């Protein structure tokens, strides 16, 4: 991506952290990026074009983080590794990103607040060409976009696809359907935790000694348990063969290691 375009997107995101999208002026974004207004309009065509490009970039950065989380530990943990732990790491990344990045949270949940841009889901309409007025650049049609912006269903699907692609090379062919089910379940459970974050103070399992306080947030603890459970229930023996410890046999310690690497 050209440096000027990236600088403009950075400036737009920074401005969005400080004030509502409707209060952000194109001239201020251009000035913060150190380029002219004409350069901004040449890159994005309109404010809506800038919004769409910004949402797309933040979404792709989030998905790149999912891929990184899934790849960690793949070689060090053995041929099969801890499959559930790698998906836990991707789920933890999702929760942290949704909490820190309002655009990613909006795309994941489909809920756009008044402070955020809410670009149309379809291809952007050409920006109207306006008569040149003193000091105001003429807007041109926005550059074509690569299809509609993703929504919650597509992101769940892409999370699942990335998880399956990362894990299936070392998975027995006869167990691939179970792997797909486990990954889809994990993706949907992760999204549920984004929409309705678990509260702290969850009840302890009867008969189990409470763990020492961990650095992870309550929602990370919760999604770790849910994802592990999804693999235990739907992947069955495949999850155990992949290195995921059976319930009650060290699972908590392994989850802590996997998610701590992401912290």
């Amino acid at each position: 991506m050209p440096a000027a375009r990236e600088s403009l997107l950075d400036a737009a995101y920074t401005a969005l952290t400080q004030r509502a999208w409707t209060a952000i002026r194109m001239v201020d974004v251009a000035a913060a990026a150190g380029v002219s207004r004409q350069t901004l309009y040449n890159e994005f065509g309109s404010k809506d074009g800038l919004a769409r490009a910004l949402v797309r970039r933040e979404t792709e950065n989030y998905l790149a983080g999912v891929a990184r989380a899934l790849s960690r530990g793949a070689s060090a943990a053995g041929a099969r590794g801890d499959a559930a732990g790698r998906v836990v790491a991707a789920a933890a990344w999702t929760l942290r990103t949704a909490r820190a990045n309002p655009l990613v949270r909006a795309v994941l949940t489909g809920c756009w607040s008044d402070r955020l841009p809410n670009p149309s889901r379809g291809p952007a309409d050409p920006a109207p060409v306006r008569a040149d007025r003193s000091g105001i650049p003429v807007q041109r049609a926005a550059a074509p976009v690569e299809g509609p912006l993703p929504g919650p269903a597509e992101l769940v699907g892409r999370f699942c696809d990335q998880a399956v692609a990362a894990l299936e090379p070392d998975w027995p062919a006869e167990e691939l359907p179970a792997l797909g089910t486990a990954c889809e379940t994990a993706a949907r459970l992760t999204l549920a935790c984004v929409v309705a974050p678990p509260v702290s103070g969850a009840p302890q399992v009867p008969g189990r000694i409470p763990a020492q306080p961990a650095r992870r947030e309550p929602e990370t603890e919760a999604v770790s348990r849910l994802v592990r459970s999804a693999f235990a229930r739907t992947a069955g023996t495949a999850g155990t063969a992949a290195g995921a410890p059976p319930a009650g046999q060290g699972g908590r310690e392994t989850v802590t290691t996997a998610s701590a690497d992401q912290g």
Side-chain angles (χ1 to χ4, degrees):
M1 180 178 292
R5 183 180 179 88
E6 189 70 16
S7 295
L8 286 164
L9 292 173
D10 288 342
Y13 184 82
T14 299
L16 187 60
T17 64
Q18 300 169 350
R19 54 192 182 275
W21 183 253
T22 54
I24 295 173
R25 301 188 307 163
M26 296 286 272
V27 62
D28 294 332
V29 173
V35 302
S36 68
R37 284 176 293 173
Q38 190 63 63
T39 298
L40 190 157
Y41 284 114
N42 287 344
E43 286 290 343
F44 303 106
S46 66
K47 190 175 180 181
D48 183 67
L50 174 62
R52 291 177 60 81
L54 181 60
V55 172
R56 188 176 297 281
R57 185 189 72 163
E58 297 306 307
T59 301
E60 292 303 322
N61 286 346
Y62 154 68
L63 289 169
V66 170
R68 288 193 301 271
L70 289 166
S71 67
R72 292 188 181 182
S75 59
R80 295 286 290 276
D82 180 5
R86 291 163 66 184
V87 179
V88 164
W93 162 259
T94 298
L95 294 178
R96 289 197 306 274
T97 305
R99 185 170 60 248
N101 190 317
L103 291 177
V104 171
R105 180 177 179 82
V107 175
L108 280 167
T109 63
C111 298
W112 297 80
S113 74
D114 293 339
R115 289 185 55 83
L116 300 177
N118 189 4
S120 59
R121 293 292 309 282
D125 296 328
V129 177
R130 302 191 304 192
D132 186 18
R133 293 177 290 171
S134 177
I136 301 178
V138 176
Q139 296 189 25
R140 66 173 178 82
V145 296
E146 302 83 359
L149 292 173
E154 181 177 342
L155 286 191
V156 166
R158 293 181 68 176
F159 182 110
C160 178
D161 290 345
Q162 288 187 179
V164 171
L167 300 176
E168 69 178 351
D170 299 310
W171 214 266
E174 65 274 12
E175 295 173 355
L176 288 180
L179 173 63
T181 300
C183 290
E184 181 179 2
T185 302
R188 295 188 179 280
L189 289 171
T190 301
L191 180 58
C193 288
V194 171
V195 175
V199 296
S200 59
Q204 295 291 331
V205 177
R208 177 174 295 178
I209 298 175
Q212 294 297 317
R215 291 185 305 164
R216 292 177 299 152
E217 301 84 355
E219 59 264 33
T220 305
E221 294 279 358
V223 81
S224 297
R225 293 193 299 269
L226 291 170
V227 171
R228 289 280 184 185
S229 177
F231 270 78
R233 291 174 181 275
T234 58
T237 57
T240 301
Q249 298 183 17
R252 172 174 289 276
E253 289 77 11
T254 305
V255 173
T256 300
T257 300
S259 61
D261 291 341
Q262 301 299 310

